[in-house]
Each structure stands twice: as C-alpha cells, then as structure tokens.
Amino acid sequence: ERFEQHTTDPSCAACHRLLDPIGFGFEHYDGIGAWREQDGGGVVDASGTVITGDGEVPFDGVPELASWLADSPQVRGCVVRQWFTWAHGRAPESADVCSTDALVDAFAVADGDVRDLLVALTQTSSFYFRVAGE
C-alpha cells in the first residue's frame, strides 16, 4: 500500500520505483533486524524485484537476492569499478579499459573473492603507472 503511494506521487516515484522493490525482500526483518512472519496483522510478503538494464529480476527474500547479486556479472563489474575508483581516487577513464577488463576477468576467476580482486588491482598498468599526485 505504501509502495502504491510512493509510485503515484511524482516527487517520490523516480527513486521509489527502483528502491522499494529491492527493499521488499527485507520485509521479514523488523526495524531492529529480528525475524518476523507478520507485520501489522498481515503475512509478510518478502518477494521483490531488481531492476536492471535488461529488465526485472524477481526474487523472494534476502537469500535469493544475495544469490542473484553474487552471481551477477553486472554487479561484479560494478564492484570492480568501485574498488578501482577507491584505489585511484578517480573513476575509470577510457585509458583504463584494459585494466578494468583484466580486473573483471580476475574477479570472475576468483569467484568474487574481494581479496583476490585487491591483489589483482595492484597488478594492473593503471596502478603501476599512475601519474604523480593521483
């Protein structure tokens, strides 16, 4: 019901159309993280969707959401770009394509192990040949 209000009010809809469907997966958890089967006298529905560039991906509950996120090449690419940005203090540029592609491949080979990604990050030409002051 709250979702309907958020999606019909134009000042709320732009963000809530993306955020609320993911948040529904967390409905089994109350405000302090305790598990619940009911909320306000009704049965909890923890089904939701993730909106991607390719459409919507349905899930039911946090375990399914976490599994989809962990297996998503799109999410892994985003993780690589975020770590690259943190390590360099800047977003990847066109000159960094070889480095970011190598990092995406290394992260996939490591089955999403962030420790291996961090080691791989230090082995890229973008990291080796940073301009002084970066």
Side-chain angles (χ1 to χ4, degrees), residues 87-131:
H88 290 278
R90 63 172 177 80
E93 299 169 355
S94 58
D96 300 311
V97 169
C98 289
S99 292
T100 55
D101 286 352
L103 290 170
V104 167
D105 292 344
F107 197 39
V109 167
D111 198 27
D113 189 319
V114 174
R115 295 169 298 187
D116 288 347
L117 172 61
L118 296 177
V119 170
L121 182 67
T122 67
Q123 308 304 307
T124 64
S125 59
S126 290
F127 193 83
Y128 281 146
F129 302 110
R130 294 188 306 184
V131 176

Short mmCIF file of all heavy atoms in Angstrom, two decimals, residues 87-131:
data_model
loop_
_atom_site.label_atom_id
_atom_site.label_comp_id
_atom_site.label_asym_id
_atom_site.label_seq_id
_atom_site.Cartn_x
_atom_site.Cartn_y
_atom_site.Cartn_z
N ALA A 87 40.82 2.93 -5.16
CA ALA A 87 42.28 2.77 -5.20
C ALA A 87 42.98 3.93 -5.92
O ALA A 87 44.09 4.30 -5.55
CB ALA A 87 42.66 1.44 -5.87
N HIS A 88 42.32 4.48 -6.92
CA HIS A 88 42.93 5.54 -7.73
C HIS A 88 42.49 6.94 -7.32
O HIS A 88 43.10 7.92 -7.76
CB HIS A 88 42.61 5.33 -9.21
CG HIS A 88 43.29 4.15 -9.80
ND1 HIS A 88 44.59 4.18 -10.25
CD2 HIS A 88 42.86 2.88 -10.00
CE1 HIS A 88 44.92 2.98 -10.71
NE2 HIS A 88 43.90 2.18 -10.57
N GLY A 89 41.44 7.03 -6.55
CA GLY A 89 40.91 8.34 -6.18
C GLY A 89 40.22 9.02 -7.35
O GLY A 89 40.06 10.24 -7.37
N ARG A 90 39.82 8.24 -8.34
CA ARG A 90 39.13 8.76 -9.52
C ARG A 90 38.38 7.62 -10.20
O ARG A 90 38.71 6.44 -10.01
CB ARG A 90 40.11 9.38 -10.51
CG ARG A 90 41.11 8.38 -11.06
CD ARG A 90 41.97 8.97 -12.19
NE ARG A 90 42.96 8.02 -12.66
CZ ARG A 90 42.72 7.02 -13.50
NH1 ARG A 90 41.51 6.81 -13.96
NH2 ARG A 90 43.70 6.22 -13.88
N ALA A 91 37.40 7.96 -10.99
CA ALA A 91 36.65 6.96 -11.75
C ALA A 91 37.49 6.44 -12.91
O ALA A 91 38.38 7.16 -13.39
CB ALA A 91 35.35 7.55 -12.27
N PRO A 92 37.23 5.23 -13.36
CA PRO A 92 37.96 4.72 -14.54
C PRO A 92 37.69 5.60 -15.75
O PRO A 92 36.59 6.11 -15.94
CB PRO A 92 37.37 3.32 -14.75
CG PRO A 92 36.66 2.97 -13.51
CD PRO A 92 36.29 4.25 -12.84
N GLU A 93 38.72 5.74 -16.59
CA GLU A 93 38.62 6.52 -17.82
C GLU A 93 38.82 5.58 -19.00
O GLU A 93 39.16 4.40 -18.82
CB GLU A 93 39.68 7.62 -17.81
CG GLU A 93 39.50 8.59 -16.65
CD GLU A 93 40.69 9.52 -16.47
OE1 GLU A 93 41.72 9.36 -17.18
OE2 GLU A 93 40.60 10.40 -15.61
N SER A 94 38.68 6.10 -20.20
CA SER A 94 38.82 5.25 -21.39
C SER A 94 40.20 4.60 -21.46
O SER A 94 40.34 3.47 -21.94
CB SER A 94 38.53 6.04 -22.66
OG SER A 94 39.40 7.14 -22.78
N ALA A 95 41.22 5.28 -20.97
CA ALA A 95 42.57 4.71 -20.98
C ALA A 95 42.73 3.53 -20.02
O ALA A 95 43.72 2.80 -20.08
CB ALA A 95 43.59 5.78 -20.63
N ASP A 96 41.75 3.34 -19.14
CA ASP A 96 41.80 2.27 -18.13
C ASP A 96 41.06 1.01 -18.55
O ASP A 96 40.97 0.06 -17.77
CB ASP A 96 41.21 2.77 -16.81
CG ASP A 96 41.95 3.96 -16.25
OD1 ASP A 96 43.19 3.91 -16.17
OD2 ASP A 96 41.28 4.95 -15.89
N VAL A 97 40.53 0.97 -19.76
CA VAL A 97 39.71 -0.15 -20.19
C VAL A 97 40.44 -1.48 -20.07
O VAL A 97 39.88 -2.47 -19.57
CB VAL A 97 39.18 0.06 -21.63
CG1 VAL A 97 38.54 -1.21 -22.17
CG2 VAL A 97 38.18 1.19 -21.66
N CYS A 98 41.69 -1.53 -20.49
CA CYS A 98 42.44 -2.79 -20.40
C CYS A 98 42.57 -3.23 -18.94
O CYS A 98 42.42 -4.41 -18.62
CB CYS A 98 43.82 -2.65 -21.03
SG CYS A 98 43.75 -2.51 -22.83
N SER A 99 42.83 -2.28 -18.07
CA SER A 99 42.98 -2.61 -16.65
C SER A 99 41.66 -3.07 -16.05
O SER A 99 41.61 -4.08 -15.34
CB SER A 99 43.49 -1.39 -15.86
OG SER A 99 44.82 -1.10 -16.22
N THR A 100 40.58 -2.37 -16.33
CA THR A 100 39.30 -2.76 -15.74
C THR A 100 38.81 -4.09 -16.31
O THR A 100 38.24 -4.90 -15.58
CB THR A 100 38.23 -1.65 -15.90
OG1 THR A 100 38.11 -1.29 -17.27
CG2 THR A 100 38.58 -0.43 -15.05
N ASP A 101 39.05 -4.32 -17.61
CA ASP A 101 38.68 -5.62 -18.19
C ASP A 101 39.46 -6.75 -17.53
O ASP A 101 38.90 -7.81 -17.22
CB ASP A 101 38.94 -5.63 -19.70
CG ASP A 101 37.92 -4.83 -20.49
OD1 ASP A 101 36.91 -4.38 -19.89
OD2 ASP A 101 38.14 -4.63 -21.71
N ALA A 102 40.75 -6.54 -17.29
CA ALA A 102 41.57 -7.55 -16.62
C ALA A 102 41.07 -7.79 -15.20
O ALA A 102 41.06 -8.93 -14.72
CB ALA A 102 43.03 -7.12 -16.60
N LEU A 103 40.64 -6.73 -14.53
CA LEU A 103 40.13 -6.87 -13.16
C LEU A 103 38.81 -7.64 -13.14
O LEU A 103 38.59 -8.48 -12.26
CB LEU A 103 39.94 -5.50 -12.52
CG LEU A 103 41.23 -4.76 -12.18
CD1 LEU A 103 40.93 -3.33 -11.77
CD2 LEU A 103 42.00 -5.49 -11.09
N VAL A 104 37.93 -7.36 -14.09
CA VAL A 104 36.67 -8.09 -14.18
C VAL A 104 36.95 -9.58 -14.39
O VAL A 104 36.35 -10.44 -13.73
CB VAL A 104 35.77 -7.52 -15.30
CG1 VAL A 104 34.62 -8.45 -15.61
CG2 VAL A 104 35.27 -6.13 -14.92
N ASP A 105 37.89 -9.89 -15.28
CA ASP A 105 38.25 -11.30 -15.53
C ASP A 105 38.85 -11.95 -14.28
O ASP A 105 38.49 -13.08 -13.93
CB ASP A 105 39.24 -11.41 -16.69
CG ASP A 105 38.63 -11.02 -18.03
OD1 ASP A 105 37.38 -10.97 -18.12
OD2 ASP A 105 39.40 -10.77 -18.97
N ALA A 106 39.75 -11.24 -13.61
CA ALA A 106 40.39 -11.79 -12.40
C ALA A 106 39.37 -12.01 -11.30
O ALA A 106 39.42 -13.02 -10.58
CB ALA A 106 41.49 -10.84 -11.92
N PHE A 107 38.42 -11.10 -11.17
CA PHE A 107 37.38 -11.21 -10.14
C PHE A 107 36.49 -12.42 -10.43
O PHE A 107 36.09 -13.14 -9.52
CB PHE A 107 36.58 -9.92 -10.09
CG PHE A 107 35.75 -9.71 -8.86
CD1 PHE A 107 36.21 -10.08 -7.61
CD2 PHE A 107 34.51 -9.11 -8.95
CE1 PHE A 107 35.44 -9.86 -6.47
CE2 PHE A 107 33.74 -8.88 -7.83
CZ PHE A 107 34.20 -9.26 -6.59
N ALA A 108 36.20 -12.66 -11.71
CA ALA A 108 35.39 -13.82 -12.10
C ALA A 108 36.14 -15.12 -11.81
O ALA A 108 35.57 -16.07 -11.26
CB ALA A 108 35.01 -13.74 -13.57
N VAL A 109 37.42 -15.17 -12.16
CA VAL A 109 38.23 -16.37 -11.91
C VAL A 109 38.31 -16.65 -10.41
O VAL A 109 38.29 -17.80 -9.98
CB VAL A 109 39.65 -16.21 -12.52
CG1 VAL A 109 40.60 -17.28 -12.02
CG2 VAL A 109 39.57 -16.22 -14.04
N ALA A 110 38.36 -15.57 -9.60
CA ALA A 110 38.44 -15.71 -8.15
C ALA A 110 37.07 -15.98 -7.52
O ALA A 110 36.95 -16.03 -6.30
CB ALA A 110 39.05 -14.45 -7.54
N ASP A 111 36.05 -16.16 -8.36
CA ASP A 111 34.69 -16.42 -7.90
C ASP A 111 34.21 -15.34 -6.93
O ASP A 111 33.57 -15.63 -5.93
CB ASP A 111 34.58 -17.81 -7.28
CG ASP A 111 33.13 -18.27 -7.20
OD1 ASP A 111 32.30 -17.82 -8.03
OD2 ASP A 111 32.81 -19.06 -6.29
N GLY A 112 34.56 -14.09 -7.25
CA GLY A 112 34.07 -12.97 -6.46
C GLY A 112 34.80 -12.72 -5.16
O GLY A 112 34.29 -12.00 -4.29
N ASP A 113 35.98 -13.26 -5.00
CA ASP A 113 36.75 -13.06 -3.77
C ASP A 113 37.41 -11.68 -3.82
O ASP A 113 38.29 -11.42 -4.64
CB ASP A 113 37.81 -14.14 -3.61
CG ASP A 113 38.48 -14.12 -2.26
OD1 ASP A 113 38.78 -13.02 -1.74
OD2 ASP A 113 38.72 -15.21 -1.70
N VAL A 114 36.97 -10.78 -2.94
CA VAL A 114 37.45 -9.40 -2.94
C VAL A 114 38.95 -9.33 -2.65
O VAL A 114 39.66 -8.48 -3.19
CB VAL A 114 36.64 -8.53 -1.95
CG1 VAL A 114 37.22 -7.14 -1.82
CG2 VAL A 114 35.19 -8.45 -2.40
N ARG A 115 39.45 -10.24 -1.83
CA ARG A 115 40.90 -10.23 -1.53
C ARG A 115 41.70 -10.43 -2.81
O ARG A 115 42.69 -9.73 -3.05
CB ARG A 115 41.24 -11.30 -0.50
CG ARG A 115 40.60 -11.05 0.86
CD ARG A 115 40.73 -12.24 1.75
NE ARG A 115 40.02 -13.37 1.12
CZ ARG A 115 39.82 -14.53 1.68
NH1 ARG A 115 40.31 -14.78 2.89
NH2 ARG A 115 39.16 -15.48 1.07
N ASP A 116 41.27 -11.36 -3.65
CA ASP A 116 41.96 -11.59 -4.92
C ASP A 116 41.80 -10.39 -5.84
O ASP A 116 42.73 -10.06 -6.60
CB ASP A 116 41.42 -12.85 -5.60
CG ASP A 116 41.86 -14.13 -4.89
OD1 ASP A 116 42.76 -14.07 -4.05
OD2 ASP A 116 41.29 -15.19 -5.20
N LEU A 117 40.65 -9.73 -5.79
CA LEU A 117 40.45 -8.53 -6.60
C LEU A 117 41.44 -7.44 -6.19
O LEU A 117 42.02 -6.77 -7.04
CB LEU A 117 39.02 -8.02 -6.46
CG LEU A 117 38.71 -6.67 -7.09
CD1 LEU A 117 38.94 -6.68 -8.60
CD2 LEU A 117 37.28 -6.25 -6.76
N LEU A 118 41.64 -7.26 -4.90
CA LEU A 118 42.57 -6.23 -4.43
C LEU A 118 44.00 -6.52 -4.86
O LEU A 118 44.73 -5.61 -5.24
CB LEU A 118 42.47 -6.07 -2.92
CG LEU A 118 41.12 -5.57 -2.40
CD1 LEU A 118 41.11 -5.51 -0.89
CD2 LEU A 118 40.77 -4.23 -3.01
N VAL A 119 44.39 -7.78 -4.82
CA VAL A 119 45.72 -8.14 -5.30
C VAL A 119 45.81 -7.86 -6.80
O VAL A 119 46.78 -7.26 -7.27
CB VAL A 119 46.06 -9.61 -4.98
CG1 VAL A 119 47.33 -10.04 -5.68
CG2 VAL A 119 46.17 -9.82 -3.47
N ALA A 120 44.80 -8.26 -7.55
CA ALA A 120 44.80 -8.03 -9.00
C ALA A 120 44.84 -6.53 -9.31
O ALA A 120 45.50 -6.12 -10.27
CB ALA A 120 43.56 -8.67 -9.63
N LEU A 121 44.19 -5.75 -8.50
CA LEU A 121 44.18 -4.31 -8.70
C LEU A 121 45.59 -3.73 -8.68
O LEU A 121 45.93 -2.84 -9.46
CB LEU A 121 43.32 -3.65 -7.62
CG LEU A 121 43.14 -2.15 -7.69
CD1 LEU A 121 42.35 -1.75 -8.91
CD2 LEU A 121 42.44 -1.66 -6.44
N THR A 122 46.43 -4.25 -7.82
CA THR A 122 47.80 -3.75 -7.72
C THR A 122 48.68 -4.23 -8.87
O THR A 122 49.82 -3.78 -8.98
CB THR A 122 48.45 -4.15 -6.38
OG1 THR A 122 48.63 -5.57 -6.36
CG2 THR A 122 47.64 -3.68 -5.19
N GLN A 123 48.17 -5.14 -9.70
CA GLN A 123 48.95 -5.70 -10.79
C GLN A 123 48.61 -5.09 -12.15
O GLN A 123 49.16 -5.51 -13.17
CB GLN A 123 48.74 -7.22 -10.86
CG GLN A 123 48.97 -7.93 -9.54
CD GLN A 123 50.33 -7.69 -8.94
OE1 GLN A 123 51.33 -7.89 -9.61
NE2 GLN A 123 50.38 -7.25 -7.70
N THR A 124 47.71 -4.10 -12.19
CA THR A 124 47.31 -3.51 -13.46
C THR A 124 48.23 -2.37 -13.86
O THR A 124 48.87 -1.73 -13.01
CB THR A 124 45.87 -2.95 -13.38
OG1 THR A 124 45.84 -1.88 -12.42
CG2 THR A 124 44.87 -4.03 -13.01
N SER A 125 48.29 -2.10 -15.16
CA SER A 125 49.13 -0.99 -15.63
C SER A 125 48.60 0.34 -15.12
O SER A 125 49.38 1.26 -14.86
CB SER A 125 49.20 -0.99 -17.16
OG SER A 125 47.93 -0.87 -17.73
N SER A 126 47.29 0.46 -14.94
CA SER A 126 46.74 1.71 -14.39
C SER A 126 47.27 1.98 -12.99
O SER A 126 47.48 3.12 -12.60
CB SER A 126 45.21 1.65 -14.34
OG SER A 126 44.66 1.69 -15.61
N PHE A 127 47.52 0.91 -12.23
CA PHE A 127 48.05 1.08 -10.88
C PHE A 127 49.55 1.33 -10.91
O PHE A 127 50.06 2.19 -10.21
CB PHE A 127 47.72 -0.15 -10.04
CG PHE A 127 47.94 0.04 -8.57
CD1 PHE A 127 46.98 0.64 -7.78
CD2 PHE A 127 49.13 -0.38 -7.97
CE1 PHE A 127 47.18 0.83 -6.42
CE2 PHE A 127 49.33 -0.20 -6.61
CZ PHE A 127 48.36 0.40 -5.84
N TYR A 128 50.26 0.58 -11.74
CA TYR A 128 51.72 0.72 -11.86
C TYR A 128 52.14 2.10 -12.31
O TYR A 128 53.12 2.66 -11.85
CB TYR A 128 52.29 -0.27 -12.88
CG TYR A 128 52.47 -1.68 -12.43
CD1 TYR A 128 52.29 -2.72 -13.32
CD2 TYR A 128 52.83 -2.00 -11.12
CE1 TYR A 128 52.46 -4.05 -12.94
CE2 TYR A 128 53.00 -3.32 -10.75
CZ TYR A 128 52.82 -4.33 -11.64
OH TYR A 128 52.98 -5.63 -11.27
N PHE A 129 51.42 2.60 -13.30
CA PHE A 129 51.86 3.83 -13.98
C PHE A 129 51.00 5.03 -13.65
O PHE A 129 50.72 5.87 -14.52
CB PHE A 129 51.91 3.60 -15.49
CG PHE A 129 52.80 2.47 -15.87
CD1 PHE A 129 52.28 1.28 -16.36
CD2 PHE A 129 54.17 2.57 -15.70
CE1 PHE A 129 53.12 0.22 -16.69
CE2 PHE A 129 55.01 1.52 -16.04
CZ PHE A 129 54.49 0.34 -16.54
N ARG A 130 50.57 5.13 -12.41
CA ARG A 130 49.76 6.27 -12.01
C ARG A 130 50.59 7.55 -12.12
O ARG A 130 51.78 7.55 -11.85
CB ARG A 130 49.25 6.13 -10.58
CG ARG A 130 48.28 4.99 -10.43
CD ARG A 130 47.64 4.96 -9.11
NE ARG A 130 48.63 4.96 -8.03
CZ ARG A 130 48.31 4.87 -6.76
NH1 ARG A 130 47.08 4.78 -6.40
NH2 ARG A 130 49.25 4.86 -5.83
N VAL A 131 49.92 8.61 -12.49
CA VAL A 131 50.58 9.92 -12.56
C VAL A 131 50.74 10.45 -11.16
O VAL A 131 49.85 10.32 -10.32
CB VAL A 131 49.73 10.89 -13.42
CG1 VAL A 131 50.34 12.28 -13.43
CG2 VAL A 131 49.55 10.34 -14.83
#
